[in-house]
Amino acid sequence: MILSVGEILVDMIGCERDGVFCYERKAGGAPFNVACAVKKFGGSSAFAGSVGDDLIGDFLKKFAASRKLDGLCISTEMEHNTTLAFVDIDASGERSFCFYRKSTADYRLPEIDDALFEKANIIHVGSLMLSEEVGRKYADELMKRARYGGKTVSFDVNYRTDIFRDTKSAIALYKRYIERADIVKLSEDEYEIFGAEYVNGLKDKLICITLGSRGSKWKFGGREGSANTISVKPIDTTGAGDAFYAGLLKKLDGVDKSGYTDEFLNGALRYANVCGALNTLGHGAIDSLPDAATVDKYFNETQSR
C-alpha cells in the first residue's frame, strides 16, 4: 500500500463564462491527488492530511470519504482555515497558481496510528509542508519513522516559487529531504533548478523526471532510461504530474530495488506517462482521472508498437 502524506486543499479553477470570470471548486493537493489516483488506477492507497473547520474542509472530508481509499486520516484544525489554490489555465491547458495559505491547515498534519502506518510499503511525502517550521519538523519525524520501519520513502519536489520565494534557501532546504528519500520525482524545470550535477550524483535513489509531451526519464545506480508518452490535446494539465507519479508508485509498490531492471523501469514509466496524459483530458486533478481499464488499454497499445 502507498500512504500519501501532506496537503489536501481546494483548487479554485478559473474560467470565463458568458463574459464573467468564475472559479470552480475542485478537490486537490498533490499528495491527496496521488492517493486518489493510485486507488483509481487499481492500487492500494491511503492518505493523511489536515483541513480547517469550515465549509471547504467539510467538502474535502466528504469528498475524500467518497474515494473509498484503503486508509484515511484527516484531522480538522479548529483554529485554521482550509488552504485554497487559485488556478488559471491558458489556451494550451497549462496552469499558473496563486495560493491562499496564511496560517492555514495543510501543514498542521495529524499523527498517523501504527496500524495504518504498518500497512504501507511506500510512504509518499508532499513538499508544501516544508515552507513552515511545524511542517518541516513533521516531515523530519515522518521520514525518520519510515526509515526505522523499513519503508520505502517517496518525495515529490513539486517546487512552488510563490511559496518558496528565496530559491537559494529553498534548494538547500529541499536537498535535506531529497537525500532522505528512496524515490524522487522532479519536473524538467526542477531538474534544471537543482542542477544536473547534483541530481545525477544521487545514484542510490530512483530519480524520475517528467518531460511533458516528450514523456519522462529515470536515473538509478548510474544507469538511466526514458519512455515516450501518448499524444493528446490537453484541456487542463492540473494534476498531470500527480497522476504520472501515482501510476509510477503503483508499479513500484512491493518491488524491491533489486527488481529495478532497465526493462521494468522503462515499462513503469510508460505506464505512468499514460496516466499523466489521460488526466489532462478533463478539468480538475481528480475528477478527470482515468480508470484502471482505460489506462491499461492505452498502455497495452504502447507496448504493441
Side-chain angles (χ1 to χ4, degrees):
M1 185 178 78
I2 299 151
L3 171 58
S4 298
V5 185
E7 68 271 14
I8 178 173
L9 49 80
V10 157
D11 288 326
M12 302 295 290
I13 299 179
C15 63
E16 188 171 323
R17 295 174 182 166
D18 299 324
V20 178
F21 198 83
C22 307
Y23 284 97
E24 185 176 7
R25 180 179 70 178
K26 298 284 187 181
F32 183 60
N33 294 343
V34 168
C36 293
V38 169
K39 186 65 178 179
K40 191 71 180 282
F41 301 154
S44 180
S45 176
F47 174 76
S50 295
V51 298
D53 181 30
D54 50 36
L55 291 172
I56 301 297
D58 290 343
F59 159 72
L60 287 173
K61 285 189 291 184
K62 290 175 182 176
F63 183 92
S66 74
R67 298 297 97 181
K68 307 297 182 185
L69 302 181
D70 301 287
L72 196 57
C73 177
I74 298 180
S75 65
T76 301
E77 291 293 312
M78 303 303 292
E79 298 181 3
H80 303 277
N81 290 117
T82 306
T83 305
L84 305 176
F86 289 87
V87 186
D88 280 2
I89 303 169
D90 66 19
S92 67
E94 288 298 324
R95 73 273 190 272
S96 55
F97 286 89
C98 175
F99 286 90
Y100 180 82
R101 190 175 175 262
K102 290 181 171 63
S103 192
T104 47
D106 72 87
Y107 50 86
R108 305 171 194 278
L109 293 157
E111 181 68 25
I112 303 167
D113 67 59
D114 290 339
L116 178 58
F117 201 84
E118 285 305 311
K119 291 178 183 177
N121 297 314
I122 298 174
I123 306 298
H124 170 56
V125 184
S127 66
L128 224 58
M129 69 178 82
L130 303 184
S131 69
E132 306 295 331
E133 179 60 33
V134 64
R136 292 190 289 272
K137 183 177 179 180
Y138 184 93
D140 291 341
E141 292 300 320
L142 177 65
M143 287 183 160
K144 181 179 178 181
R145 182 182 179 187
R147 184 69 60 204
Y148 181 79
K151 310 296 184 182
T152 296
V153 178
S154 160
F155 181 66
D156 181 3
V157 171
N158 198 29
Y159 178 62
R160 299 295 186 201
T161 55
D162 58 337
I163 291 179
F164 299 91
R165 295 183 183 275
D166 182 345
T167 301
K168 184 177 179 180
S169 297
I171 289 172
L173 172 66
Y174 267 74
K175 286 181 177 180
R176 283 169 41 191
Y177 297 92
I178 289 172
E179 289 161 13
R180 295 173 187 174
D182 301 294
I183 309 165
V184 180
K185 181 183 83 69
L186 306 98
S187 67
E188 189 172 20
D189 289 344
E190 290 161 351
Y191 180 62
E192 294 176 1
I193 289 170
F194 284 85
E197 183 178 358
Y198 169 73
V199 176
N200 294 345
L202 300 168
K203 297 186 186 301
D204 62 330
K205 307 179 189 308
L206 175 59
I207 305 296
C208 302
I209 304 165
T210 57
L211 306 173
S213 62
R214 302 193 330 275
S216 57
K217 62 184 177 181
W218 60 267
K219 297 174 180 291
F220 178 71
R223 300 160 18 232
E224 61 180 61
S226 62
N228 293 326
T229 188
I230 58 175
S231 178
V232 296
K233 293 183 179 179
I235 294 173
D236 177 7
T237 61
T238 305
D242 302 327
F244 164 89
Y245 204 26
L248 179 63
L249 291 178
K250 178 200 166 187
K251 289 295 185 182
L252 297 176
D253 190 11
V255 178
D256 186 80
K257 285 184 178 181
S258 62
Y260 290 0
T261 64
D262 290 10
E263 182 181 7
F264 171 77
L265 291 174
N266 287 337
L269 261 68
R270 280 196 299 272
Y271 181 89
N273 289 341
V274 170
C275 294
L278 293 178
N279 198 47
T280 68
L281 300 180
H283 288 290
I286 299 171
D287 291 348
S288 56
L289 283 168
D291 60 21
T294 303
V295 174
D296 288 343
K297 174 181 177 294
Y298 280 86
F299 175 66
N300 290 335
E301 289 176 0
T302 69
Q303 294 287 80
S304 62
R305 290 173 188 168

